[in-house]
Amino acid sequence: MHGRVPRRKPLLSNKNINAHLRFARKHLDDPPTQKLNFVEVVTRHHIFSIMDKMAYYCKPTDFVCIDESSSTTSSASSEPRNYDVLEGGGYTETPAAANIQAPVNAASHVSTRLSKPFGHGYPTLQPGYQNAASPHSSQPSTPVHQPNYSQYAPYGGMNQLPASLAGLSLQQPQQPESLRPVNLIQDRNVLPASSLPPPAPNLNADLKKLNCNPDFFRCTLTNVPQTQALLNKAKLPLGLLLHPFKSKPRITTLSPSTIVRCRSCRTYINPFVSFIDQRRWKCNLCYRVNDVPEEFMYNPLTRSYGEPHKRPEVLNSSVEFIASSDYMLRPPPPAVYLFVLDVSYNAVESGYLQCFSQSLLDNLDKLRGDSRTKIGFITFDSTVHFYNLQEGLSQPQMLIVSDVEEIFLPTPDGLLVNLHESLELIKDLLTALPGMFTSTRETHSALGPALQGAFKLMSPTGGRISVFQTQLPSLGAGLLQSREDPNQRSSLKGIQHLGPATDFYKKLALDCSGQQTAVDLFLLSSQYSDLASLACISKYSAGCIYYYPSFHHKHNPAQADKLKQDLDHYLTRKIGFEAVMRIRCTKGLSIHTFHGNFFVRSTDLLSLANISEDAGFAVQMSLEESLTDSSLACCQVALLYTSSKGQRRIRIHTCASRAVDRSVTSSLSDARDALVNAVVDSLSSYKSTLPNLQQCTLIAPTSLKLFPLYILGLLKQKAFRTGTCTRLDDRVFAMCQMKYQPLLHQMKMIHPSLYRVDRLTDEGAILVNDLVVPQPQLQQLSVEKLERDGAFLMDAGSTFHLWVGKNCDANFLKDVLGFPNYASVPQKMTQLPELDTVASERTRNFISWLTQDSPLNPLLYVLKDDSAGKTEFFQHLIEDRSEAAFSYYEFLLHIQQQICK
């Protein structure tokens, strides 16, 4: 039994604090304000600082852990074997879940929610339990989370206020740079010279070292407000942005005998828990005190006993555990890949089959999997064709099912075969496939029946279905009619058909998800194909969508090159099967909305039949309870999946896009208004904290000075822009990207980067893999920055535009483009030649650096000043006036007008 530790009585009572506040307001020019910083996130857990109502500083921490276990959990009770609780449920409101430190009685009842985090109120740890760094670990040590009593020194006058009241000091500490006011009307050139790093939380040095890479996980705020009222006042969204399966940087993989988790909330042990003593640790989410299992006392790295705080699970903020059978509903299935291919006349004429077949032939030996990997093929036009590739056959057999109303599998065996055992037959089929349908005149597309057949084939094992479609489905279940009216494109409120025309694809996707099957869609279309309906098959099965408008292997060779590059990446990228992902938060925080491609299995559990390293997710959060009694808020995401090698693993991450949903459920006009109102509300809220301002000035804090520019970029992005130039499928695809692309890639699409590249030098260059990479200055996205004697490169994420002025320097044309003068540069140029010149090497190194680790495989378009294809380039110059849209200056004036109403 442990005696109760009395709660520390605060030196300053609420009454005294209020007295100090009244006194300070009389002597300070600026009244005290509640300030919010932006919080980042990390890989397994995310720790945030809570917004203290008078503190000018904060202590947030983000981190995400990646866990994969190979054995039982710490003191785990028996659980039903289903995915909802397989990874571990949420909080249990039972006496066992309460903090066991002190008895509960009527006079001294303190709920678990009010328990202080990080061992608050416990005696100082004994020597040897201070979480010192292991001499064998490269990770920083876990800091001792004990109250800092020194900051509560005896009160010695107004100039010696405690740290929590530093903002009220008569000495007026210097204002943080992030809160410095900026007049946006006067200082419109707010773009930095180079790309800005993600906002870093305001942490002490020890906690900063424990942060995980923000590319895995970050938050929209660097500080969490204490209450929902304060969050509402700030007019800023509280959300988490998550890239949970990102392959770089690599993380620590462990195979312990015991995976230690909180008995109450099932949180995985991590660097932010507190060790009360050698045998007990305190959860940093629910604050329950847990026993340390006997097996956890031994450290396999140091080969020492009795130092659980030096275990790699506690020293590393990102880890991955190889899980045991406790985390399985069935033995891990093999990696299974099924390709469903449109072979109608439209598909054959586009030439995509040649690109697909060649890419798969090149990558068969690189498909993720092991000796059990299976593969299959289905083709379709007005009928559905299955292929028997069973070992022992002399050649592939095509089995045709003509009854598309009642689809069935023509044979029980041979349609999904072992990749290695039937390798020669698979190669024969891929070699013959491009020429098998060259004489077809079949124009119909039975996509729905083909998908139904694919579902029947994949149901026993689960896996990945890759669908290639080139037109509007016209036969059988899921047939669609054209819904696009080009005459309605310019209508702001009248843009229709952003939602699906039928629920067939959504229902089928949910059936697939239930059988651990994801569907990825490749749409290669020169005409309207109703992507709003087709996208549901991927959205609700945790698949992905690729879109190639106006695809043709001869007429549009750039798209053919992009398809080849995308397929090379798609076929070889890291993949996880039969995954579920759960998000846990500090009590008081709750999940409001999820964004991405998935099926919501329960309030905090997402079903992800497949998970890829390119998948991004967003989570919108709210505060259900006050966090005034907590100093840090934490979030943890657990990703349980089966690797392509058949290992069961667990990862954990944490991390807001709402306008897309509003466009579909309400109208595009409402979505655009919501984006504008976000700027008006946030800047109005900030302005209200500043005294003695002129009534109609547009002021923003430094940390938000780019906010209006980014919102304007969103309004001009294909998903939300108005005008007659945006096709319906293009708009829907842009909306899909907004929902599942990681933030890093989204930002290039919203606000492209523009560089002048005809004067690249080595001054300020960086060295990457022995290559010298120039670092030119970022340019504003305005035609005013374009000079006819220069060349400018725009990085828009999925495309590069190299704009060449009429009077561009002849040396650049010769040394980089390979042409003697401007007139000789062709109108359609999509690649830079590898020339043996310094300028060529610098330019290619710079472009290569921009695309490193990006799955977007951007196309390069060289555009002459008089090129007919420069329209897309100029549409990305978002600071200029465009069709039915403000310039940046006009947009700022509009925001100012709204604020001053």
Side-chain angles (χ1 to χ4, degrees), residues 755-762 765-766 771-776 790-795 800-804 808-809 811-818 829-852 860-862:
Y755 309 91
R756 182 163 186 169
V757 293
D758 61 309
R759 299 175 180 174
L760 294 180
T761 68
D762 291 342
I766 60 176
L771 297 178
V772 178
V773 180
Q775 298 292 292
F792 293 80
L793 178 71
M794 177 183 287
D795 177 6
F800 279 121
H801 300 281
L802 179 57
W803 182 87
V804 181
C808 185
D809 183 70
N811 290 328
F812 177 83
L813 299 176
K814 179 181 64 176
D815 295 344
V816 176
L817 302 184
M829 185 175 177
T830 58
Q831 290 182 338
L832 293 183
E834 294 188 15
L835 303 177
D836 189 18
T837 64
V838 174
S840 175
E841 183 178 359
R842 284 172 176 162
T843 306
R844 288 184 286 107
N845 286 352
F846 180 58
I847 294 177
S848 177
W849 175 72
L850 291 174
T851 59
Q852 67 178 359
L860 173 66
Y861 295 99
V862 178

Side-chain angles (χ1 to χ4, degrees), residues 39-50:
V39 121
E40 265 178 62
V41 197
V42 192
T43 306
R44 144 97 176 256
H45 253 86
H46 185 94
I47 303 265
F48 314 86
S49 173
I50 305 300

Side-chain angles (χ1 to χ4, degrees), residues 267-423:
T267 294
Y268 296 79
I269 198 166
N270 58 79
F272 299 96
V273 304
S274 298
F275 281 90
I276 309 306
D277 52 38
Q278 187 181 21
R279 294 288 182 177
R280 295 178 303 157
W281 64 278
K282 190 173 185 179
C283 176
N284 57 315
L285 260 65
C286 71
Y287 315 137
R288 178 192 172 113
V289 176
N290 296 271
D291 293 333
V292 175
E294 185 66 30
E295 306 94 304
F296 203 73
M297 298 296 292
Y298 176 74
N299 189 337
L301 294 183
T302 62
R303 298 185 179 181
S304 59
Y305 185 85
E307 297 179 325
H309 57 282
K310 293 183 180 180
R311 292 268 304 199
E313 299 95 318
V314 182
L315 294 178
N316 292 276
S317 60
S318 299
V319 294
E320 185 155 290
F321 294 107
I322 301 175
S324 68
S325 58
D326 294 343
Y327 290 90
M328 304 176 191
L329 292 180
R330 61 179 180 178
V336 182
Y337 304 105
L338 178 62
F339 298 94
V340 180
L341 309 168
D342 182 359
V343 292
S344 64
Y345 173 81
N346 192 65
V348 173
E349 202 276 333
S350 73
Y352 92 87
L353 283 170
Q354 179 63 48
C355 298
F356 163 78
S357 299
Q358 189 59 54
S359 182
L360 185 52
L361 278 170
D362 294 342
N363 292 288
L364 276 176
D365 60 336
K366 300 176 186 176
L367 284 177
R368 299 282 181 154
D370 54 19
S371 60
R372 304 176 301 151
T373 301
K374 291 187 175 184
I375 192 171
F377 299 88
I378 295 176
T379 58
F380 65 94
D381 42 32
S382 61
T383 58
V384 181
H385 326 127
F386 297 84
Y387 294 86
N388 186 350
L389 301 169
Q390 197 163 15
E391 185 184 16
L393 293 175
S394 59
Q395 62 183 15
Q397 292 181 348
M398 178 192 288
L399 306 173
I400 301 176
V401 177
S402 57
D403 186 0
V404 296
E405 299 300 328
E406 295 290 338
I407 198 72
F408 63 92
L409 300 182
T411 179
D413 301 310
L415 303 182
L416 283 176
V417 297
N418 184 284
L419 172 61
H420 306 285
E421 294 174 357
S422 299
L423 183 60

